[in-house]
Amino acid sequence: MKFHRSLILLVVIVLGSVVPRAAAQAADWQQISIPQLPAFHPQQPKRIELPNGMVVFLQEDHELPLIDGTARIRGGSRSEPASKVGMVDIYGEVWRTSGTKAETGDQLDDFLEIRAAKVETGGNVDSTTISWSCLKGDFDDVFKVFNDVLRQPEFRADKVDLAQKEMYDSISRRNDDVGGIAARESVKLAYGPNSPYAREPEYTTVAAVTRQDLIDWHHAHVHPNNIILGIVGDFNSAAMETKLRQAFSDWPKGPPVKEDKIEFHPANPGYYLVEKEDVNQSSIRMTELGIRRDNPDYYAAQVFNEAFGGGFSSRLFKSIRTEQGLAYGVGAGIGGAFDHPGILRVSMSTKSATTVESIQALYKEIDGLEKNPISDDEIKRAKDAILNSFVFNFDSPEKVLQERMAYEFYGYPADFLERYRAGIEKVGKDDVARAAAKYLHKGKLAVLVVGNTAEFDKPLSSLGPVTKVDITIPAPPGEKGETPPKPGSN
């Protein structure tokens, strides 16, 4: 008994000395002065415009004996015919796999593999790309392959056929994942189901693509005045410029790419349901049109996004997940794209039995922004998170080069990267409150739910009228008694 009393007394004495010391240390920590972040002036690439209109950026980086390059060509899937959705994806693959007029893609694979090099092509919504990566000593050989693929592709029919079959397989599996369904269908709600930003390849549209379509696309788009070429690595800029001028001096200008004006037709506010009986959780997406990055409110929106729904310290995460335990993941943000409106999203995943409760919890947080706007402390944490991580997004010459190429492509100021940090630093409480009130409207949101309705806590219709979304994959044309086009035929 005396032993236990002595032990208790010892613990009290130790704690009595440790707690004040810990409190003092905590107080000392809070007194630490944090200096201002230094000015951000990343190494800028050298910009060159060749006589034929090709824009080149050269970014020296002598850390490793490597040279990488990417050519970005104007024109992407948003310009492909609605009857041939998937054509640019096929083009982006076959461009490389089919090789050149002189060598097949398989022969190029062997040539590059023994040099630990690569040449790759791809397509996306507003452009196509061709890139290379190689050791400095192999640059001349690999650049020749790059230039041949860029200017003399063959688009062999067997590779067109293979790419189409791969797309058929992808189409057949597109409804397997709840998150993928939610992402795809929410984009359709935000932009409109027939928007070039929301269209999905179908068996019929993929089957309609021919080898001649790929040849025609290449001839219409791949001209030097439609290309931005960026090179980064261990080279001398003056010597590289000389090589490039020699390589492309015989390539004349072509017609500039004309992008169609795209209108947006968002879904009416309300509730949209994708029934999926084989899952035990719901994926919820609330959408509305967002903004462009050249919008004056862009910086305030970025701070709002981080504070309200951007990470572990965001308001939504702390309330919806930590305090209420409703979400596996939750987030929100006013999306901003370069040359068209992004998508405002409020999204979360929850178990089926808390689907309606979770939607109501999200509504409560949105409503709360009016009476309880983002506070100064929340704004400070958000700005610190953005600014302290900012340098890691551009901590290499290659990342800075890619960003600079994007500004050139979309017509943004060359110093937009530096302006971003300055813009974030200037954002105040009133700016964030104004952005939230201007762009996030509960009454304008299209709310998509993908889940098992039999397990919902309440019917989704208890919140309002529900529109069911049909995600049935249309059958291939041959299964309808039609004769499908022969893949790769002209």
Side-chain angles (χ1 to χ4, degrees), residues 21-43:
R21 206 162 46 238
Q25 290 173 348
D28 292 342
W29 173 82
Q30 294 177 5
Q31 299 303 315
I32 294 176
S33 176
I34 301 176
Q36 289 289 326
L37 291 172
F40 180 67
H41 298 298
Q43 174 187 335

Side-chain angles (χ1 to χ4, degrees), residues 332-355:
I334 304 166
F338 276 110
D339 66 347
H340 65 279
I343 299 176
L344 183 152
R345 288 186 176 93
V346 182
S347 61
M348 68 180 292
S349 298
T350 188
K351 58 183 182 290
S352 301
T354 54
T355 299

Side-chain angles (χ1 to χ4, degrees), residues 100-115:
T100 66
K101 296 185 181 303
E103 295 182 282
T104 67
D106 295 338
Q107 289 173 322
L108 293 182
D109 289 342
D110 293 338
F111 179 85
L112 294 168
E113 186 174 342
I114 62 175
R115 292 164 174 79

Side-chain angles (χ1 to χ4, degrees), residues 40 50 76 95 213 269 276 288 313 322 363 428 432 444 447 450 485:
F40 180 67
L50 303 183
W95 187 4
D213 290 327
K276 193 160 175 60
E288 187 180 355
S313 63
T322 305
Y363 281 158
V432 173
K444 294 184 178 181
V447 181
V450 183

Side-chain angles (χ1 to χ4, degrees), residues 13-146:
I13 293 172
V14 171
L15 289 177
S17 62
V18 170
V19 172
R21 206 162 46 238
Q25 290 173 348
D28 292 342
W29 173 82
Q30 294 177 5
Q31 299 303 315
I32 294 176
S33 176
I34 301 176
Q36 289 289 326
L37 291 172
F40 180 67
H41 298 298
Q43 174 187 335
Q44 289 296 324
K46 179 182 179 181
R47 183 186 185 279
I48 303 163
E49 185 165 348
L50 303 183
N52 57 15
M54 181 185 292
V55 174
V56 178
F57 289 98
L58 301 179
Q59 182 79 295
E60 293 188 29
D61 180 8
H62 302 285
E63 183 176 1
L64 296 171
L66 302 172
I67 300 178
D68 299 341
T70 299
R72 187 172 184 181
I73 300 123
R74 298 185 186 278
S77 61
R78 66 186 181 187
S79 300
E80 66 191 1
S83 61
K84 298 189 178 188
V85 174
M87 182 183 74
V88 169
D89 288 335
I90 295 172
Y91 169 86
E93 179 177 346
V94 177
W95 187 4
R96 167 62 182 84
T97 60
S98 66
T100 66
K101 296 185 181 303
E103 295 182 282
T104 67
D106 295 338
Q107 289 173 322
L108 293 182
D109 289 342
D110 293 338
F111 179 85
L112 294 168
E113 186 174 342
I114 62 175
R115 292 164 174 79
K118 60 183 179 181
V119 173
E120 297 178 340
T121 58
N124 56 51
V125 70
D126 57 21
S127 60
T128 57
T129 59
I130 174 170
S131 62
W132 81 83
S133 179
C134 67
L135 292 168
K136 176 182 179 179
D138 293 323
F139 170 76
D140 289 340
D141 290 337
V142 175
F143 182 77
K144 182 180 184 304
V145 173
F146 163 84

Side-chain angles (χ1 to χ4, degrees), residues 5 18 71 79 88 90 110 137 190 211 214 216 261 292 301 333 358 393 409 427 485:
R5 288 177 179 173
V18 170
S79 300
V88 169
I90 295 172
D110 293 338
R211 174 176 180 265
L214 308 188
D216 292 345
K261 183 178 180 181
R292 288 168 45 126
S358 296
N393 296 326
F409 188 89
V427 172

Side-chain angles (χ1 to χ4, degrees), residues 298-354:
Y298 176 65
Y299 305 114
Q302 290 292 97
V303 176
F304 168 77
N305 294 350
E306 183 68 28
F308 185 63
F312 291 105
S313 63
S314 69
R315 182 179 290 191
L316 281 184
F317 195 95
K318 289 192 290 187
S319 175
I320 301 293
R321 174 170 170 161
T322 305
E323 297 173 8
Q324 300 179 59
L326 291 174
Y328 305 119
V330 61
I334 304 166
F338 276 110
D339 66 347
H340 65 279
I343 299 176
L344 183 152
R345 288 186 176 93
V346 182
S347 61
M348 68 180 292
S349 298
T350 188
K351 58 183 182 290
S352 301
T354 54

